[in-house]
Amino acid sequence: MAGTVHVVGAGLAGLSAAVSLVEAGRRVIVHEAAKQAGGRCRSYYDPTLGLTIDNGNHLLLSGNTSALGFMKTIGAPADALTGPAEAEFPFADLKTGERWTLRPNAGRVPWWVLAASRRVPGTKASDYLAPLGILKAAAGKAPGQGGTIGEAMACEGLLYDRLWHPVLIAALNTEPKESDVGLAATILRETLGAGGAASRPLVAVAGLSAAFVDPAVAYLIRRGTEMRFGHRLRSLTFGEGGVTELVFGDETITLGADDAVVLALPPWVAAEVIPGLAAPQAYRSIVNAHFAVVPPPGSPLLLGVVNGTTEWLFAYPDRLSVTISGADRLLDVPREDLGKQIWAEVSTLCGLAPELPRWQIVKEKRATFAATPAEAARRSGAETAHRNCVVAGDWTATGLPSTIEGAIRSGTTAAHALARSTGGCAQARVRGAA
């Protein structure tokens, strides 16, 4: 087709959609309200710390095939993601002082649970059968129809406290007991359930922008894509044939017969510009704390923490950073108090002086949609009621919770959906959606 596809939103979902469309031979223009690309997954300079940080710490896994495929397509640096050679997850218990490392074996048959040195201290092999209830409850069920994790497995006990709760709340950003069992099942099938080869942790130590955003923008520009920053969509105009106009603050773009739109916007914005669009309505927060301290030698890149406010401690080359998921309870805690509280835990874990270094607290109130059955059922597919308009975003019906993997997958899915609805050519060359 000769028409232009207007991708509105240059977060990872929009960039993924744009790359997929360019790969399929479409002419693309990307519109972004901010002055830079990346959305909620980007790097920026923080003057308080005197460091460049990400606006959220993100962990990827080697089983995140969509994200890794996207990075390969855009030519991201080979060392953009760092992680151990094999799947291993160090943990520390702030209450007891115990430390251990979870080490799944590479293959799908989980023989690692038979080795006491590889599993959580104080647990036995049979304890690890509990998540089978999640897979069973989700089998054959539509999104949001399988019930909650709390209904599918016992959300209590030593193994739950030391493994399943930290892993599930990090993935879902919602208290596991109330989270949708289908979303959890997808995570388990694609990562831990697929063995250690799919569960190796990966972190963008040089920043999310260096790993995902900058290479994607450079790729799109090389392929002739026009990037329009500071270009906020105000509304859409609809006609019998679908979307007829894109109304921005400074101009109105009239769409031709072969033009189309990909809306890669937050759910509350997408639902506002497309009346009747299904979208989540409840959200959960994430709190990140950053400390301008070089990690002690030998610090693990990622440390899971139990029995504390801190949940995951990231050791970047120039700082220590903490992520706390499902953090609504912390939104009203004064930043100074929170910084001191978290640093007290970090300094204990790392053997550092108790004096608070330069710090920064980032509270993201609507970090992800609430991963409950009700909200999972509200997620929209890529297609809309308008032939030439599709949506993308980690909040759409990807089968995954709000993650980088889900955002990138949604962009590919939107590109496929647009090709189907508009009869686009070269469909086979669009990157495959998992």
Side-chain angles (χ1 to χ4, degrees):
M1 293 182 69
T4 297
V5 180
H6 296 268
V7 177
V8 184
L12 291 187
L15 292 174
S16 173
V19 167
S20 292
L21 290 162
V22 166
E23 285 280 291
R26 297 300 299 264
R27 177 174 181 264
V28 176
I29 298 176
V30 177
H31 308 266
E32 168 57 45
K35 295 181 180 180
Q36 69 286 314
R40 293 185 293 110
C41 290
R42 62 180 177 84
S43 309
Y44 66 95
Y45 179 78
D46 185 279
T48 300
L49 292 169
L51 300 172
T52 296
I53 63 175
D54 293 329
N55 61 341
N57 297 312
H58 290 267
L59 173 68
L60 287 96
L61 296 172
S62 50
N64 293 156
T65 55
S66 296
L68 296 178
F70 175 73
M71 294 179 71
K72 183 178 180 180
T73 298
I74 62 178
D79 60 351
L81 297 179
T82 298
E86 297 179 350
E88 58 180 40
F89 297 88
F91 279 86
D93 189 325
L94 277 168
K95 183 178 180 179
T96 67
E98 291 177 274
R99 292 191 180 235
W100 65 92
T101 299
L102 194 76
R103 296 188 296 122
N105 60 282
R108 285 183 174 272
V109 178
W111 60 258
W112 65 274
V113 303
L114 302 176
S117 62
R118 287 177 172 263
R119 61 179 188 249
V120 175
T123 63
K124 55 185 184 296
S126 59
D127 295 337
Y128 293 79
L129 297 175
L132 293 178
I134 293 177
L135 300 176
K136 181 179 179 181
K141 300 293 178 60
Q145 300 304 308
T148 65
I149 294 174
E151 295 168 338
M153 66 176 279
C155 293
E156 59 185 8
L158 184 65
L159 185 59
Y160 178 78
D161 294 339
R162 288 186 164 188
L163 176 59
W164 299 126
H165 184 271
V167 167
L168 291 171
I169 197 169
L172 301 164
N173 197 37
T174 304
E175 187 61 37
K177 290 181 182 180
E178 64 183 45
S179 294
D180 178 60
V181 74
L183 297 176
T186 302
I187 290 290
L188 292 174
R189 283 195 300 265
E190 295 188 6
T191 55
L192 286 175
S199 306
R200 188 166 62 90
L202 300 169
V203 178
V205 294
L208 293 170
S209 289
F212 293 99
V213 182
D214 296 343
V217 171
Y219 170 90
L220 290 170
I221 291 174
R222 288 196 306 270
R223 300 290 291 267
T225 300
E226 183 179 352
M227 306 292 297
R228 298 187 182 180
F229 296 111
H231 215 222
R232 183 179 298 277
L233 181 70
R234 301 297 183 187
S235 63
L236 300 174
T237 303
F238 300 97
E240 291 185 3
V243 177
T244 58
E245 292 179 329
L246 302 174
V247 181
F248 295 91
D250 56 353
E251 69 171 326
T252 295
I253 297 175
T254 300
L255 300 187
D258 293 331
D259 294 344
V261 181
V262 177
L263 289 183
L265 300 170
W268 54 90
V269 179
E272 181 179 345
V273 297
I274 303 182
L277 179 71
Q281 299 173 8
Y283 305 90
R284 295 292 185 267
S285 62
I286 293 177
V287 168
N288 289 283
H290 306 277
F291 303 97
V293 173
V294 174
S299 297
L301 177 62
L302 176 72
L303 178 67
V305 183
V306 298
N307 285 322
T309 300
T310 300
E311 292 179 349
W312 296 94
L313 174 61
F314 291 77
Y316 294 97
D318 57 359
R319 68 192 185 276
L320 290 164
S321 294
V322 165
T323 292
I324 305 166
S325 301
D328 292 1
R329 69 192 185 282
L330 301 177
L331 293 179
D332 294 331
V333 177
R335 297 175 68 257
E336 293 77 7
D337 294 346
L338 197 52
K340 292 177 181 177
Q341 177 182 344
I342 296 172
W343 177 249
E345 296 180 348
V346 172
S347 61
T348 298
L349 291 165
C350 298
L352 295 171
E355 290 77 21
L356 186 64
R358 295 198 312 276
W359 59 276
Q360 182 62 276
I361 298 289
V362 180
K363 299 179 180 181
E364 191 173 2
K365 186 174 182 180
R366 292 192 288 188
T368 70
F369 71 89
T372 62
E375 298 307 312
R378 290 192 178 103
R379 301 172 80 183
S380 170
E383 296 87 354
T384 71
H386 311 283
R387 179 189 63 85
N388 62 347
C389 180
V390 297
V391 294
D394 63 7
W395 57 271
T396 59
T398 64
L400 291 165
S402 292
T403 58
I404 285 178
E405 176 75 358
I408 291 174
R409 190 173 300 185
S410 78
T412 306
T413 300
H416 273 285
L418 196 60
R420 290 193 301 270
S421 64
T422 60
C425 61
Q427 184 171 342
R429 287 188 286 143
V430 178
R431 287 183 294 114

